[in-house]
Amino acid sequence: MTSSELWTRATADRYDAEEAENSSATALGPALAFLAELAGDGRALEFAIGTGRVGVPLRERGVPVVGIELSEHMAAVLRRKVDESTLPVTIGDMATTVVPGGFTLVYLIYNTISNLLTQEEQVECFRNAARHLEPGGRFVIELGLPPLRSLPPGQTAVPFDVSERHLGFDTVDLVEQMLVSHHFTRDGDDGRYRRANSRHRYAWPAELDLMARIAGLELERRVADWDGAPFTQDSAKHISVWRKPT
């Protein structure tokens, strides 16, 4: 077991509904095109495949996809959508679990590397990606940048969503390089809110590049979004691509 927090059955059952907007064809289209191009004629391995929000439509595009997922409950939701022979999933952690065969693409998106709460485990995740990649293959990570520029002196909390049905804010520990996302979600019309939070270890792009070097990977590309916008000091996230040398 890694330091990642294990997703429960209740969280897994409502995940797709809560991520419906991010799962639409319009929202996912650029990411699927980006990943499919990198996979080429080879196979793709998704670390933390979850309910298959990305893996299932990528498989429908003709890319053979294999998944690793820590939560059996999340994998069970995926299994309602596609059978094991079409999209195999191994239950295990993304830092150490090994599946058979080689891949032209390994990808870990939607901030999920931050679920590993220690630097050591994040390094092992890079090593595990390199272990599965064929020579010339790529490892892709999508990761947001911590909102440190929004923190005035003495403040540790930053809101990221204030809407009618959801209040979300992050609290940041600058010493431990930890971020906790807090969510207050209105489930019904009776005025009650459900509270949840999740812990994350944030890492800067330069730190990830060093992890990649430790794993024998080379930075090939870094952009601000799936459409390929330039990554700048004002970017809220990055899509980074590292390549395994031939």
Side-chain angles (χ1 to χ4, degrees):
M1 179 67 69
T2 72
S3 61
S4 295
E5 296 173 344
L6 194 60
W7 290 52
T8 65
R9 182 187 301 276
T11 302
D13 286 343
R14 61 174 175 258
Y15 181 83
D16 283 349
E18 293 183 345
E19 292 295 332
E21 183 177 348
N22 294 322
S23 304
S24 67
T26 300
L28 278 182
L32 296 175
F34 191 108
L35 296 171
E37 181 180 1
L38 290 180
D41 296 328
R43 300 195 305 158
L45 172 61
E46 181 172 357
F47 284 174
I49 194 168
T51 65
R53 184 182 70 91
V54 174
V56 171
L58 186 61
R59 179 66 184 86
E60 291 171 350
R61 285 197 172 211
V63 178
V65 177
V66 175
I68 293 174
E69 172 55 42
L70 183 63
S71 169
E72 294 185 24
H73 302 303
M74 295 288 279
V77 175
L78 179 151
R79 194 53 66 222
R80 299 171 197 162
K81 307 171 185 177
V82 62
D83 60 41
E84 175 70 17
S85 63
T86 302
L87 202 166
V89 175
T90 298
I91 301 299
D93 72 86
M94 57 188 167
T96 62
T97 300
V98 178
V99 298
F103 299 84
T104 57
L105 173 67
V106 178
Y107 63 97
L108 176 57
I109 64 176
Y110 214 32
N111 303 321
T112 312
I113 193 170
S114 69
N115 290 4
L116 296 169
L117 301 180
T118 68
Q119 185 184 68
E120 291 78 10
E121 286 177 319
Q122 291 179 352
V123 169
E124 288 306 312
C125 184
F126 272 83
R127 285 178 166 152
N128 201 29
R131 183 181 297 123
H132 286 92
L133 284 173
E134 298 174 349
R138 276 90 168 191
F139 181 35
V140 175
I141 281 181
E142 175 190 25
L143 184 61
L145 297 174
L148 303 190
R149 295 177 68 187
S150 301
L151 287 174
Q155 182 172 313
T156 60
V158 178
F160 59 84
D161 184 33
V162 179
S163 59
E164 182 181 352
R165 306 198 72 87
H166 179 254
L167 169 63
F169 63 93
D170 293 328
T171 53
V172 184
D173 184 330
L174 301 178
V175 174
E176 297 296 330
Q177 213 164 305
M178 296 292 294
L179 179 151
V180 180
S181 288
H182 305 263
H183 301 268
F184 293 84
T185 306
R186 187 177 178 182
D187 282 332
D189 296 324
D190 58 3
R192 290 185 299 177
Y193 283 76
R194 170 173 44 85
R195 179 178 181 178
N197 61 68
S198 59
R199 296 184 299 155
H200 306 270
R201 181 187 185 273
Y202 64 84
W204 299 104
E207 185 181 6
L208 297 179
D209 290 343
L210 184 56
M211 293 180 188
R213 289 181 60 188
I214 292 171
L217 305 176
E218 302 170 346
L219 179 66
E220 181 176 77
R221 184 183 182 195
R222 174 167 291 127
V223 293
D225 57 34
W226 294 109
D227 290 314
F231 178 70
T232 71
Q233 65 178 358
D234 296 319
S235 299
K237 71 174 184 178
H238 62 95
I239 316 295
S240 296
V241 182
W242 296 274
R243 184 173 180 270
K244 184 173 183 176
T246 56

